[in-house]
Amino acid sequence: MNKIALSGPIWLASDLHLGPATPATSEAFLAFLEAAREEAGALLLPGDIFDAWIGDDVIRAAPPWLATALTALRDTASRIPVWLGRGNRDFLIGEELAQALGAKLLPEPALLETDYGQVLLTHGDEFCTDDAAYQQFRKMVRDPRWQAEFLSKTIPERLAMAQQARGESQAANQMKSMEIMDVNAAAIVSVFRETGVRVLVHGHTHRPARHVLEVDGKKRERWVLPDWDCDHVSPARGGWLVIDRDGLQFYDLETEA
């Protein structure tokens, strides 16, 4: 198990889905980073930071929206430790991006050694085992051979492939029940048993909540991080989780603005 020792308040946010079509979300994220630089002991972003990530080489000629986000992340990483996770949208985030920002890549899963105790952190899509089609896709795109072949293509080719895959995914998701796209209860129980942790944090499902359950007679907690959208819904949504010596607490974009 990959352990990361962190002290002070730890801020976690995921499923931001930043891209050229999310200017308001990007502005909210910039404000969030400014606050994190002043108040957080570390910042962890466990996946789907970007709506799509077609390879680290895009940072060499980053479009304006991306250049702004990268500058803010770099400024943040110069002040506090920043860890980048890989989700189902940005699984191609790699060492080039992390090094350019002065950040580190989150292992998956990561066992956080915090002031509150041990917390298991992951993106969360691996727990959606009822969605067999997605799990097959996940296995394919995380294969190093598939990734090498994809990255060998030109940026325009990769962009076109990513847009096509996104369209197909949206169409397929409309035919799936919310239960299929949520985590599988047995998978959650299994990870608690295998790791022995009492707190699990993940994103991906866009169903922010604190779940309390009992596994083998012991209390366990599963915290689901919120997704962000300040562009396409009203009211805007988004938020983050803070872990400190007193425990875990959600903060909402609207109430903290």
Side-chain angles (χ1 to χ4, degrees), residues 18-248:
L18 300 178
T22 61
T25 306
S26 294
E27 283 298 317
F29 182 57
L30 296 180
F32 166 75
L33 290 179
E34 184 177 358
R37 288 194 288 271
E38 298 298 325
E39 301 176 33
L43 173 63
L44 282 65
L45 305 172
D48 283 5
I49 306 164
F50 304 103
D51 197 47
W53 192 258
I54 60 169
D56 286 357
D57 53 341
V58 299
I59 68 176
R60 302 170 197 170
W65 72 267
L66 178 57
T68 299
L70 296 180
T71 297
L73 282 166
R74 189 180 301 111
D75 290 346
T76 305
S78 70
R79 298 276 295 276
I80 60 174
V82 174
W83 295 78
L84 308 176
R86 287 163 282 201
N88 54 296
R89 302 281 190 88
D90 49 15
F91 52 84
L92 286 172
I93 284 176
E95 288 290 351
E96 182 177 350
L97 174 63
Q99 291 178 10
L101 299 180
K104 295 181 180 181
L105 293 179
L106 274 172
E108 193 172 90
L111 185 62
L112 310 181
E113 302 278 2
T114 77
D115 293 341
Y116 180 66
Q118 291 188 335
V119 175
L120 188 68
L121 176 66
T122 184
H123 181 63
D125 56 330
E126 70 271 35
F127 302 134
C128 300
T129 55
D130 291 331
D131 191 345
Y134 170 70
Q135 292 300 325
Q136 184 177 10
F137 170 80
R138 185 180 189 274
K139 181 179 180 181
M140 177 186 73
V141 299
R142 297 207 174 210
D143 186 312
R145 293 169 297 181
W146 184 93
Q147 293 187 0
E149 182 178 353
F150 180 81
L151 292 172
S152 70
K153 301 181 185 299
T154 66
I155 287 180
E157 288 174 330
R158 282 180 265 157
L159 279 172
M161 292 176 66
Q163 291 170 353
Q164 179 182 356
R166 181 62 185 142
E168 292 174 352
S169 174
Q170 289 177 328
N173 286 346
Q174 291 178 359
M175 304 298 292
K176 298 175 183 177
S177 69
M178 291 302 295
E179 289 72 23
I180 285 178
M181 293 187 290
D182 201 356
V183 300
N184 175 277
I188 296 299
V189 170
S190 179
V191 76
F192 276 121
R193 283 178 174 156
E194 290 173 3
T195 62
V197 299
R198 60 188 179 95
V199 180
L200 167 66
V201 175
H202 69 82
H204 179 66
T205 64
H206 299 192
R207 293 183 169 189
R210 170 182 177 258
H211 301 274
V212 178
L213 60 155
E214 189 174 289
V215 178
D216 300 330
K218 297 179 180 179
K219 176 185 172 183
R220 299 290 183 258
E221 296 181 23
R222 177 170 69 93
W223 293 70
V224 185
L225 298 169
D227 65 309
W228 293 43
D229 191 346
C230 304
D231 294 274
H232 308 110
V233 298
S234 182
R237 67 173 181 257
W240 65 97
L241 183 70
V242 174
I243 305 174
D244 60 22
R245 66 178 69 253
D246 296 321
L248 290 76

